[in-house]
């Protein structure tokens, strides 16, 4: 799970928080990356879920940004030209 205030990029309105998207069940397309090909495209949100969580990790990256997610969420990174899945811990 990602934090309520995490921002997603949508085709329809640009940046929107996950909380706004989920609470309003907005029929948007969000920017996604296929980890097998590295190709990004907009995908329609098919389901909306709220999961209570108290413990979020803050993961910072070399570009200066960060994300907040639960410890069971996977994070994808580019490494030596490949996309690698890294468990958030």
């Amino acid at each position: 799970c990602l934090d309520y205030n995490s921002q997603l990029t949508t085709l329809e309105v640009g940046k929107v928080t996950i909380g706004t998207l989920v609470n309003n069940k907005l029929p948007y397309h969000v920017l996604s990356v296929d980890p097998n090909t590295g190709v990004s495209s907009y995908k329609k949100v098919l389901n909306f879920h709220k999961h209570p969580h108290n413990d979020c990790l803050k993961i910072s990256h070399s570009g200066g940004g960060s994300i907040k997610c639960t410890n069971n969420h996977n994070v994808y990174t580019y490494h030596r030209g490949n996309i690698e899945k890294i468990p958030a811990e």
Side-chain angles (χ1 to χ4, degrees), residues 22-39:
V22 172
N23 287 342
N24 296 293
K25 297 186 178 181
L26 298 171
Y28 289 172
H29 295 76
V30 297
L31 187 60
S32 304
V33 176
D34 182 329
N36 297 315
T37 65
V39 175

Side-chain angles (χ1 to χ4, degrees), residues 24-80:
N24 296 293
K25 297 186 178 181
L26 298 171
Y28 289 172
H29 295 76
V30 297
L31 187 60
S32 304
V33 176
D34 182 329
N36 297 315
T37 65
V39 175
S40 60
S41 62
Y42 288 94
K43 302 289 183 185
K44 184 173 173 119
V45 176
L46 301 175
N47 295 299
F48 300 93
H49 301 282
K50 289 185 184 181
H51 298 283
H53 60 85
N54 296 325
D55 299 323
C56 277
L57 304 173
K58 182 177 180 182
I59 301 172
S60 300
H61 60 77
S62 61
S66 64
I67 62 167
K68 290 182 183 178
C69 63
T70 56
N71 65 352
N72 62 345
H73 195 279
N74 291 319
V75 177
Y76 293 87
T77 184
Y78 285 102
H79 182 70
R80 297 183 186 170

Side-chain angles (χ1 to χ4, degrees), residues 8-22:
L8 301 173
T9 301
T10 69
L11 181 63
E12 291 77 9
V13 298
K15 302 274 186 190
V16 65
T17 65
I18 290 177
T20 299
L21 187 83
V22 172

